[in-house]
Amino acid sequence: MADLDYVALFAAIPSPCVVITRDMVIVAANPAYMEAMGKTREDLIGRKLFDVFPESDPETHSERNVKASLNRVMETGKQNTMALQKYDVPIEGIRGGFEERWWTVVHSPIAGPNSPVEWILIRAEDVTAFVRSRAGRPPTEEPTEAPSEAMAREAELFERARELQHLNVELSEANIRDHQVAVTLQ
């Protein structure tokens, strides 16, 4: 069996993927990620994730939600899946301009020689068209089929996923508070 070229494999993955350090510095991004984000390698590598992608609307708690998921990965060493997240992307050349985006995100730990979680692989799928179509806004493309019971079930599942994400964040914050209280009492 020939040695697998992991760099070529990472570059060929069709899903947008980026690798960050525990300090949330971007160390690798595949072409699908750069295309989805409208960024070049130079825009990304060596920069902090939230410097490249600042939060557009504090009311959405986008940055807080993503940080909470990343922290869970670092604390547990286990993959964390975000059900759905609104996280707008800065529009290049327009100061303060953002494009609305919705994502499903999976954060996966990558072990290194110094830690069981030395890096985190972020796989982000853009589901903006799906969200817009379910929110009553016209999708970017004409639908190919009429609304059906299946679409109604999808919408229900979608809404439950949003609720689950919100509850997961609340539970995580409660666990952190409980842990801090327990440490204080020792």
Side-chain angles (χ1 to χ4, degrees):
M1 183 171 154
D3 288 335
L4 188 57
D5 182 347
Y6 289 100
V7 173
L9 175 68
F10 181 70
I13 295 172
S15 293
C17 295
V18 65
V19 178
I20 63 170
T21 65
R22 291 180 64 89
D23 295 329
M24 300 187 192
V25 173
I26 299 168
V27 293
N30 72 355
Y33 187 87
M34 290 182 275
E35 182 179 336
M37 302 303 172
K39 301 287 183 190
T40 66
R41 183 170 206 69
E42 292 74 30
D43 294 333
L44 300 169
I45 306 303
R47 296 194 53 210
K48 292 221 176 219
L49 182 66
F50 298 107
D51 288 347
V52 177
F53 301 108
E55 187 168 58
S56 66
D57 179 5
E59 293 294 315
T60 64
H61 305 290
S62 303
E63 187 173 318
R64 182 189 79 177
N65 294 344
V66 173
K67 281 182 179 176
S69 177
L70 292 167
N71 286 331
R72 279 192 292 280
V73 172
M74 287 186 260
E75 291 168 7
T76 66
K78 295 182 180 175
Q79 185 178 74
N80 187 268
T81 301
M82 299 182 73
L84 178 71
Q85 182 60 56
K86 181 180 187 294
Y87 207 111
D88 298 341
V89 175
I91 299 172
E92 202 62 36
I94 300 177
R95 185 167 170 78
F98 289 86
E99 179 181 344
E100 179 186 69
R101 295 281 188 90
W102 289 85
W103 307 90
T104 58
V105 183
V106 178
H107 297 129
S108 301
I110 303 172
N114 303 316
S115 170
V117 182
E118 193 145 333
W119 303 280
I120 299 174
L121 172 71
I122 301 172
R123 184 181 55 124
E125 296 288 346
D126 186 345
V127 294
T128 305
F130 175 81
V131 172
R132 286 180 179 162
S133 71
R134 298 318 185 255
R137 290 189 255 177
T140 55
E141 298 175 357
E142 288 296 313
T144 57
E145 61 183 304
S148 66
E149 282 186 55
M151 288 176 73
R153 285 191 302 274
E154 284 178 20
E156 179 69 16
L157 181 60
F158 178 78
E159 185 58 32
R160 296 297 76 79
R162 288 179 60 185
E163 291 173 5
L164 178 61
Q165 177 64 33
H166 178 73
L167 292 171
N168 280 339
V169 169
E170 287 181 357
L171 181 60
S172 177
E173 290 172 348
N175 283 336
I176 290 169
R177 284 191 304 272
D178 288 350
H179 178 68
Q180 289 170 339
V181 167
V183 168
T184 303
L185 294 176
Q186 291 181 348

